[in-house]
């Protein structure tokens, strides 16, 4: 039975059909408008992922839909992204395992599962987001903090059972909003999150726009110092909410304290977290914090699908045993003859 691990985030959609390779594209949907001219002869109703991103980055004032906003779900674009992920993976799975923010409502989850069943013909397993990373790391007990673009999700798991958790409406977007204001005040241009990430991560990156007949560019060095300051107060804010959640917990649970999500990969974030939790525990980060949830959902789906399969396999195994016994008996019978 084919299954897929699918993590539709505010910023990136990640999907895997083999638990090893992860396809990543921006979670953006743009509905096409009729153009005066089409030189390629192609015009589509809906653009998804990289194609949508290039439209948004080349033209200002195009409305880009992202599936999650402030931790809430926008169904239509969510389904478009899921469909696109399956097209890219070239797979028609029976089961999709996915995640939603810890504080998403039960109603929201039920509606999403029903919608995906109706429109994509799949059964859906939905987990609280950070569980994906813990499953990927093979941990059934621990704490996981997932700093995504739109939300920071945190939870405590004990023997694969949810103990408590929280969703903060503060993700990388809070940091980026503040940096964007700085850039707008300095040079008057607006950047996409994808461009801001490159500006922060890549020291040689430069980005620009034409503004009032001039070429305006901004580089890593122009924002590096302000980034450090903002990042520190951002981590402090998230860390104090995590500490609130940890209050009163057994130290045995906190021994596995994991930091995941793309936010964990931004420069200096892991170090600031280590400082904030020095007295509590060592911080672990998965090898690929952006893909870890999708890979974990895949693992969890494999376990569920495996359980569903078991009765059939057992029957097969028993019949094999029977054949072996009967061969033995045959031999005995022959020997007797
Ligand atoms: N090397 C990198 N490449 C891409 N993104 C990176 C990188 N390093 C850090 N990031 C950050 O990771 C963020 C995306 O993280 P992630 O994919 O976990 O968020 P999400 O799952 O889309 O959001 P959410 O979970 O809140 O819905 C980007 O906004 C970016 O700033
Ligand atoms: Mg995420």
């Amino acid at each position: 039975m084919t299954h897929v691990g699918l993590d539709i985030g505010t910023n990136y959609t990640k999907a895997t059909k083999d638990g090893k390779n992860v396809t990543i594209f921006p979670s953006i949907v743009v509905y096409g408008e009729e153009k005066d001219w089409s030189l390629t002869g192609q015009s589509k109703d809906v653009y998804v992922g990289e194609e949508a991103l290039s439209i948004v980055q080349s033209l200002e004032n195009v409305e880009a839909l992202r599936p999650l906003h402030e931790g809430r779900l926008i169904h239509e674009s969510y389904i478009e992204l899921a469909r696109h992920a399956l097209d890219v993976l070239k797979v028609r799975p029976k089961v999709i395992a996915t995640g939603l923010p810890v504080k998403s409502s039960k109603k929201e989850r039920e509606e999403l599962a029903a919608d995906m069943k109706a429109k994509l013909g799949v059964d859906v397993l939905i987990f609280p987001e950070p569980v994906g990373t813990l499953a990927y790391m093979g941990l059934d007990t621990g704490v996981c903090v997932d700093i995504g673009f739109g939300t920071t999700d945190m939870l405590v798991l004990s023997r694969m059972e949810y103990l408590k958790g929280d969703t903060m409406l503060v993700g990388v977007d809070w940091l980026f909003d503040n940096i964007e204001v700085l850039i707008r005040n300095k040079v008057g241009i607006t950047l996409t999150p994808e461009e801001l990430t490159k500006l922060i991560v890549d020291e040689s990156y430069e980005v620009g726009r034409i503004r009032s007949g001039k070429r305006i560019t901004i580089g890593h060095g122009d924002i590096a110092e302000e980034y450090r300051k903002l990042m520190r107060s951002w981590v402090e804010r998230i860390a104090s909410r995590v500490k609130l959640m940890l209050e009163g917990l057994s130290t045995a649970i906190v021994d596995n304290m994991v930091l995941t999500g793309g936010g964990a990969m931004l420069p200096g974030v892991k170090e600031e977290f280590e400082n904030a939790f020095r007295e509590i525990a060592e911080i672990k980060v998965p090898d690929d914090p952006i893909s870890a949830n999708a890979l974990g959902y895949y693992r969890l789906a494999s376990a569920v699908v495996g359980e569903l399969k078991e009765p059939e396999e057992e029957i097969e195994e028993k019949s094999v045993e029977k054949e072996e016994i009967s061969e033995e008996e045959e031999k005995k019978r022959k020997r007797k003859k």
Side-chain angles (χ1 to χ4, degrees), residues 2-7 13-24 85-86 89 91 93 95-97 291-299 301:
T2 18
H3 53 283
V4 160
L6 176 68
D7 179 13
T13 295
K14 304 79 145 174
T16 177
K17 64 172 175 181
D18 58 10
K20 293 186 198 94
N21 302 301
V22 178
T23 294
I24 301 182
L86 300 184
L89 291 175
V91 67
V95 177
I96 290 183
S291 304
N293 280 345
L295 291 165
Y297 300 148
Y298 180 87
R299 272 196 169 202

mmCIF file of all heavy atoms in Angstrom, residues 2-7 13-24 85-86 89 91 93 95-97 291-299 301:
data_model
loop_
_atom_site.group_PDB
_atom_site.id
_atom_site.type_symbol
_atom_site.label_atom_id
_atom_site.label_comp_id
_atom_site.label_asym_id
_atom_site.label_seq_id
_atom_site.Cartn_x
_atom_site.Cartn_y
_atom_site.Cartn_z
ATOM 1 N N THR A 2 0.713 2.129 -0.987
ATOM 2 C CA THR A 2 1.572 3.324 -1.027
ATOM 3 C C THR A 2 1.102 4.368 -0.024
ATOM 4 O O THR A 2 -0.085 4.588 0.140
ATOM 5 C CB THR A 2 1.519 4.035 -2.410
ATOM 6 O OG1 THR A 2 0.391 3.592 -3.086
ATOM 7 C CG2 THR A 2 2.810 3.885 -3.153
ATOM 8 N N HIS A 3 2.076 5.008 0.584
ATOM 9 C CA HIS A 3 1.735 6.115 1.462
ATOM 10 C C HIS A 3 2.756 7.229 1.297
ATOM 11 O O HIS A 3 3.862 7.017 0.799
ATOM 12 C CB HIS A 3 1.600 5.665 2.904
ATOM 13 C CG HIS A 3 2.780 4.909 3.419
ATOM 14 N ND1 HIS A 3 3.017 3.599 3.095
ATOM 15 C CD2 HIS A 3 3.804 5.298 4.212
ATOM 16 C CE1 HIS A 3 4.129 3.204 3.676
ATOM 17 N NE2 HIS A 3 4.642 4.221 4.360
ATOM 18 N N VAL A 4 2.349 8.412 1.738
ATOM 19 C CA VAL A 4 3.176 9.593 1.555
ATOM 20 C C VAL A 4 3.218 10.374 2.865
ATOM 21 O O VAL A 4 2.222 10.446 3.575
ATOM 22 C CB VAL A 4 2.577 10.470 0.406
ATOM 23 C CG1 VAL A 4 3.064 11.895 0.468
ATOM 24 C CG2 VAL A 4 2.904 9.859 -0.956
ATOM 25 N N GLY A 5 4.400 10.913 3.201
ATOM 26 C CA GLY A 5 4.522 11.840 4.334
ATOM 27 C C GLY A 5 4.471 13.240 3.757
ATOM 28 O O GLY A 5 5.251 13.559 2.855
ATOM 29 N N LEU A 6 3.541 14.049 4.230
ATOM 30 C CA LEU A 6 3.326 15.373 3.633
ATOM 31 C C LEU A 6 3.284 16.440 4.725
ATOM 32 O O LEU A 6 2.492 16.345 5.658
ATOM 33 C CB LEU A 6 1.986 15.348 2.883
ATOM 34 C CG LEU A 6 1.509 16.667 2.263
ATOM 35 C CD1 LEU A 6 2.398 17.082 1.111
ATOM 36 C CD2 LEU A 6 0.067 16.523 1.782
ATOM 37 N N ASP A 7 4.168 17.418 4.615
ATOM 38 C CA ASP A 7 4.188 18.506 5.605
ATOM 39 C C ASP A 7 3.940 19.820 4.859
ATOM 40 O O ASP A 7 4.839 20.343 4.210
ATOM 41 C CB ASP A 7 5.562 18.513 6.307
ATOM 42 C CG ASP A 7 5.671 19.638 7.340
ATOM 43 O OD1 ASP A 7 4.638 20.243 7.686
ATOM 44 O OD2 ASP A 7 6.803 19.886 7.799
ATOM 45 N N THR A 13 6.302 23.409 1.401
ATOM 46 C CA THR A 13 5.652 22.102 1.416
ATOM 47 C C THR A 13 6.745 21.054 1.230
ATOM 48 O O THR A 13 7.603 21.200 0.362
ATOM 49 C CB THR A 13 4.617 22.011 0.272
ATOM 50 O OG1 THR A 13 3.597 22.948 0.538
ATOM 51 C CG2 THR A 13 4.018 20.623 0.166
ATOM 52 N N LYS A 14 6.722 20.030 2.085
ATOM 53 C CA LYS A 14 7.727 18.969 2.001
ATOM 54 C C LYS A 14 6.973 17.644 1.876
ATOM 55 O O LYS A 14 6.001 17.425 2.598
ATOM 56 C CB LYS A 14 8.594 18.883 3.271
ATOM 57 C CG LYS A 14 9.308 20.161 3.667
ATOM 58 C CD LYS A 14 8.394 21.106 4.348
ATOM 59 C CE LYS A 14 8.877 21.961 5.418
ATOM 60 N NZ LYS A 14 7.871 22.923 5.890
ATOM 61 N N ALA A 15 7.439 16.774 0.980
ATOM 62 C CA ALA A 15 6.727 15.507 0.789
ATOM 63 C C ALA A 15 7.692 14.394 0.430
ATOM 64 O O ALA A 15 8.695 14.630 -0.242
ATOM 65 C CB ALA A 15 5.693 15.665 -0.322
ATOM 66 N N THR A 16 7.397 13.184 0.916
ATOM 67 C CA THR A 16 8.237 12.020 0.591
ATOM 68 C C THR A 16 7.377 10.784 0.350
ATOM 69 O O THR A 16 6.367 10.589 1.023
ATOM 70 C CB THR A 16 9.267 11.744 1.701
ATOM 71 O OG1 THR A 16 10.009 10.568 1.358
ATOM 72 C CG2 THR A 16 8.623 11.511 3.069
ATOM 73 N N LYS A 17 7.782 9.979 -0.637
ATOM 74 C CA LYS A 17 7.054 8.722 -0.877
ATOM 75 C C LYS A 17 7.895 7.510 -0.520
ATOM 76 O O LYS A 17 7.463 6.388 -0.653
ATOM 77 C CB LYS A 17 6.586 8.630 -2.330
ATOM 78 C CG LYS A 17 7.698 8.578 -3.350
ATOM 79 C CD LYS A 17 7.148 8.286 -4.732
ATOM 80 C CE LYS A 17 8.265 8.348 -5.759
ATOM 81 N NZ LYS A 17 7.824 8.113 -7.122
ATOM 82 N N ASP A 18 9.160 7.745 -0.090
ATOM 83 C CA ASP A 18 10.009 6.607 0.255
ATOM 84 C C ASP A 18 10.678 6.756 1.622
ATOM 85 O O ASP A 18 11.457 5.903 2.035
ATOM 86 C CB ASP A 18 11.082 6.386 -0.833
ATOM 87 C CG ASP A 18 11.954 7.628 -1.043
ATOM 88 O OD1 ASP A 18 11.846 8.563 -0.223
ATOM 89 O OD2 ASP A 18 12.731 7.659 -2.012
ATOM 90 N N GLY A 19 10.392 7.850 2.322
ATOM 91 C CA GLY A 19 10.992 8.052 3.641
ATOM 92 C C GLY A 19 12.459 8.429 3.585
ATOM 93 O O GLY A 19 13.137 8.463 4.610
ATOM 94 N N LYS A 20 12.967 8.719 2.376
ATOM 95 C CA LYS A 20 14.378 9.099 2.240
ATOM 96 C C LYS A 20 14.512 10.431 1.506
ATOM 97 O O LYS A 20 15.129 11.357 1.996
ATOM 98 C CB LYS A 20 15.143 8.029 1.447
ATOM 99 C CG LYS A 20 15.263 6.712 2.177
ATOM 100 C CD LYS A 20 16.163 5.765 1.386
ATOM 101 C CE LYS A 20 15.963 4.339 1.836
ATOM 102 N NZ LYS A 20 14.980 3.611 1.032
ATOM 103 N N ASN A 21 13.949 10.494 0.316
ATOM 104 C CA ASN A 21 14.064 11.720 -0.490
ATOM 105 C C ASN A 21 12.856 12.615 -0.263
ATOM 106 O O ASN A 21 11.727 12.141 -0.300
ATOM 107 C CB ASN A 21 14.140 11.346 -1.971
ATOM 108 C CG ASN A 21 15.302 10.422 -2.226
ATOM 109 O OD1 ASN A 21 16.452 10.769 -1.961
ATOM 110 N ND2 ASN A 21 14.998 9.210 -2.674
ATOM 111 N N VAL A 22 13.149 13.892 -0.037
ATOM 112 C CA VAL A 22 12.059 14.824 0.236
ATOM 113 C C VAL A 22 11.995 15.892 -0.855
ATOM 114 O O VAL A 22 12.992 16.524 -1.180
ATOM 115 C CB VAL A 22 12.239 15.488 1.618
ATOM 116 C CG1 VAL A 22 11.131 16.492 1.890
ATOM 117 C CG2 VAL A 22 12.247 14.427 2.715
ATOM 118 N N THR A 23 10.815 16.052 -1.419
ATOM 119 C CA THR A 23 10.574 17.109 -2.407
ATOM 120 C C THR A 23 10.128 18.359 -1.652
ATOM 121 O O THR A 23 9.258 18.273 -0.797
ATOM 122 C CB THR A 23 9.421 16.658 -3.333
ATOM 123 O OG1 THR A 23 9.878 15.542 -4.062
ATOM 124 C CG2 THR A 23 8.995 17.754 -4.269
ATOM 125 N N ILE A 24 10.749 19.496 -1.980
ATOM 126 C CA ILE A 24 10.392 20.740 -1.284
ATOM 127 C C ILE A 24 10.034 21.813 -2.307
ATOM 128 O O ILE A 24 10.736 21.977 -3.302
ATOM 129 C CB ILE A 24 11.579 21.260 -0.434
ATOM 130 C CG1 ILE A 24 11.978 20.212 0.596
ATOM 131 C CG2 ILE A 24 11.235 22.569 0.263
ATOM 132 C CD1 ILE A 24 13.095 20.642 1.522
ATOM 133 N N ALA A 85 2.079 18.270 -4.791
ATOM 134 C CA ALA A 85 3.107 17.398 -4.200
ATOM 135 C C ALA A 85 2.993 15.989 -4.786
ATOM 136 O O ALA A 85 4.000 15.374 -5.164
ATOM 137 C CB ALA A 85 2.973 17.366 -2.685
ATOM 138 N N LEU A 86 1.771 15.474 -4.907
ATOM 139 C CA LEU A 86 1.586 14.121 -5.454
ATOM 140 C C LEU A 86 1.994 14.069 -6.932
ATOM 141 O O LEU A 86 2.572 13.095 -7.388
ATOM 142 C CB LEU A 86 0.133 13.659 -5.292
ATOM 143 C CG LEU A 86 -0.397 13.589 -3.851
ATOM 144 C CD1 LEU A 86 -1.809 13.013 -3.833
ATOM 145 C CD2 LEU A 86 0.522 12.764 -2.950
ATOM 146 N N LEU A 89 5.772 14.044 -7.062
ATOM 147 C CA LEU A 89 6.279 12.729 -6.629
ATOM 148 C C LEU A 89 5.848 11.612 -7.590
ATOM 149 O O LEU A 89 6.326 10.481 -7.469
ATOM 150 C CB LEU A 89 5.772 12.380 -5.231
ATOM 151 C CG LEU A 89 6.298 13.178 -4.035
ATOM 152 C CD1 LEU A 89 5.574 12.747 -2.764
ATOM 153 C CD2 LEU A 89 7.794 12.978 -3.861
ATOM 154 N N VAL A 91 2.905 9.981 -7.730
ATOM 155 C CA VAL A 91 2.395 8.884 -6.920
ATOM 156 C C VAL A 91 0.911 9.109 -6.639
ATOM 157 O O VAL A 91 0.449 10.255 -6.569
ATOM 158 C CB VAL A 91 3.215 8.768 -5.598
ATOM 159 C CG1 VAL A 91 2.997 9.953 -4.689
ATOM 160 C CG2 VAL A 91 2.912 7.489 -4.852
ATOM 161 N N PRO A 93 -1.118 7.812 -3.752
ATOM 162 C CA PRO A 93 -1.089 6.990 -2.542
ATOM 163 C C PRO A 93 -2.485 6.641 -2.018
ATOM 164 O O PRO A 93 -3.459 7.294 -2.391
ATOM 165 C CB PRO A 93 -0.377 7.901 -1.546
ATOM 166 C CG PRO A 93 -0.740 9.272 -1.981
ATOM 167 C CD PRO A 93 -0.876 9.226 -3.470
ATOM 168 N N VAL A 95 -2.705 6.362 1.424
ATOM 169 C CA VAL A 95 -2.694 7.049 2.720
ATOM 170 C C VAL A 95 -1.731 8.235 2.672
ATOM 171 O O VAL A 95 -0.620 8.109 2.161
ATOM 172 C CB VAL A 95 -2.234 6.083 3.845
ATOM 173 C CG1 VAL A 95 -2.147 6.799 5.183
ATOM 174 C CG2 VAL A 95 -3.176 4.885 3.947
ATOM 175 N N ILE A 96 -2.175 9.365 3.216
ATOM 176 C CA ILE A 96 -1.269 10.503 3.406
ATOM 177 C C ILE A 96 -1.190 10.789 4.899
ATOM 178 O O ILE A 96 -2.214 10.921 5.567
ATOM 179 C CB ILE A 96 -1.766 11.766 2.660
ATOM 180 C CG1 ILE A 96 -1.646 11.589 1.151
ATOM 181 C CG2 ILE A 96 -0.968 12.998 3.099
ATOM 182 C CD1 ILE A 96 -2.038 12.812 0.337
ATOM 183 N N ALA A 97 0.041 10.849 5.427
ATOM 184 C CA ALA A 97 0.214 11.233 6.832
ATOM 185 C C ALA A 97 0.724 12.660 6.837
ATOM 186 O O ALA A 97 1.657 13.002 6.122
ATOM 187 C CB ALA A 97 1.216 10.315 7.501
ATOM 188 N N SER A 291 13.075 19.056 6.645
ATOM 189 C CA SER A 291 12.422 17.838 6.135
ATOM 190 C C SER A 291 11.998 16.864 7.229
ATOM 191 O O SER A 291 11.255 15.911 6.953
ATOM 192 C CB SER A 291 13.376 17.082 5.206
ATOM 193 O OG SER A 291 13.811 17.906 4.170
ATOM 194 N N ALA A 292 12.483 17.068 8.452
ATOM 195 C CA ALA A 292 12.317 16.040 9.498
ATOM 196 C C ALA A 292 10.849 15.681 9.770
ATOM 197 O O ALA A 292 10.527 14.505 9.955
ATOM 198 C CB ALA A 292 12.995 16.493 10.789
ATOM 199 N N ASN A 293 9.946 16.659 9.767
ATOM 200 C CA ASN A 293 8.543 16.327 10.027
ATOM 201 C C ASN A 293 7.966 15.419 8.943
ATOM 202 O O ASN A 293 7.327 14.407 9.256
ATOM 203 C CB ASN A 293 7.687 17.595 10.119
ATOM 204 C CG ASN A 293 7.796 18.272 11.475
ATOM 205 O OD1 ASN A 293 8.271 17.680 12.444
ATOM 206 N ND2 ASN A 293 7.364 19.516 11.547
ATOM 207 N N ALA A 294 8.210 15.768 7.681
ATOM 208 C CA ALA A 294 7.658 14.954 6.582
ATOM 209 C C ALA A 294 8.185 13.519 6.664
ATOM 210 O O ALA A 294 7.426 12.559 6.517
ATOM 211 C CB ALA A 294 8.017 15.575 5.235
ATOM 212 N N LEU A 295 9.482 13.375 6.951
ATOM 213 C CA LEU A 295 10.080 12.033 7.054
ATOM 214 C C LEU A 295 9.470 11.256 8.219
ATOM 215 O O LEU A 295 9.229 10.055 8.131
ATOM 216 C CB LEU A 295 11.601 12.148 7.213
ATOM 217 C CG LEU A 295 12.332 12.654 5.966
ATOM 218 C CD1 LEU A 295 13.757 13.076 6.300
ATOM 219 C CD2 LEU A 295 12.345 11.581 4.874
ATOM 220 N N GLY A 296 9.210 11.968 9.310
ATOM 221 C CA GLY A 296 8.598 11.327 10.482
ATOM 222 C C GLY A 296 7.160 10.906 10.210
ATOM 223 O O GLY A 296 6.743 9.814 10.609
ATOM 224 N N TYR A 297 6.395 11.743 9.530
ATOM 225 C CA TYR A 297 5.006 11.365 9.202
ATOM 226 C C TYR A 297 5.026 10.095 8.360
ATOM 227 O O TYR A 297 4.181 9.223 8.520
ATOM 228 C CB TYR A 297 4.289 12.465 8.408
ATOM 229 C CG TYR A 297 4.176 13.804 9.117
ATOM 230 C CD1 TYR A 297 4.192 15.003 8.400
ATOM 231 C CD2 TYR A 297 4.043 13.882 10.498
ATOM 232 C CE1 TYR A 297 4.089 16.231 9.024
ATOM 233 C CE2 TYR A 297 3.946 15.110 11.133
ATOM 234 C CZ TYR A 297 3.979 16.282 10.387
ATOM 235 O OH TYR A 297 3.885 17.488 11.007
ATOM 236 N N TYR A 298 5.997 10.017 7.441
ATOM 237 C CA TYR A 298 6.111 8.838 6.587
ATOM 238 C C TYR A 298 6.336 7.585 7.450
ATOM 239 O O TYR A 298 5.689 6.563 7.275
ATOM 240 C CB TYR A 298 7.253 9.000 5.581
ATOM 241 C CG TYR A 298 7.407 7.800 4.681
ATOM 242 C CD1 TYR A 298 6.689 7.694 3.512
ATOM 243 C CD2 TYR A 298 8.248 6.744 5.055
ATOM 244 C CE1 TYR A 298 6.802 6.575 2.708
ATOM 245 C CE2 TYR A 298 8.360 5.614 4.258
ATOM 246 C CZ TYR A 298 7.643 5.536 3.085
ATOM 247 O OH TYR A 298 7.746 4.411 2.306
ATOM 248 N N ARG A 299 7.238 7.729 8.426
ATOM 249 C CA ARG A 299 7.527 6.599 9.332
ATOM 250 C C ARG A 299 6.281 6.173 10.092
ATOM 251 O O ARG A 299 6.004 4.986 10.242
ATOM 252 C CB ARG A 299 8.543 7.036 10.382
ATOM 253 C CG ARG A 299 9.950 6.855 9.969
ATOM 254 C CD ARG A 299 10.794 6.942 11.216
ATOM 255 N NE ARG A 299 12.146 6.526 10.905
ATOM 256 C CZ ARG A 299 13.000 6.091 11.806
ATOM 257 N NH1 ARG A 299 12.644 6.015 13.069
ATOM 258 N NH2 ARG A 299 14.198 5.731 11.467
ATOM 259 N N ALA A 301 3.198 6.675 9.235
ATOM 260 C CA ALA A 301 2.248 6.051 8.307
ATOM 261 C C ALA A 301 2.672 4.620 8.017
ATOM 262 O O ALA A 301 1.836 3.720 7.964
ATOM 263 C CB ALA A 301 2.159 6.847 7.010
#
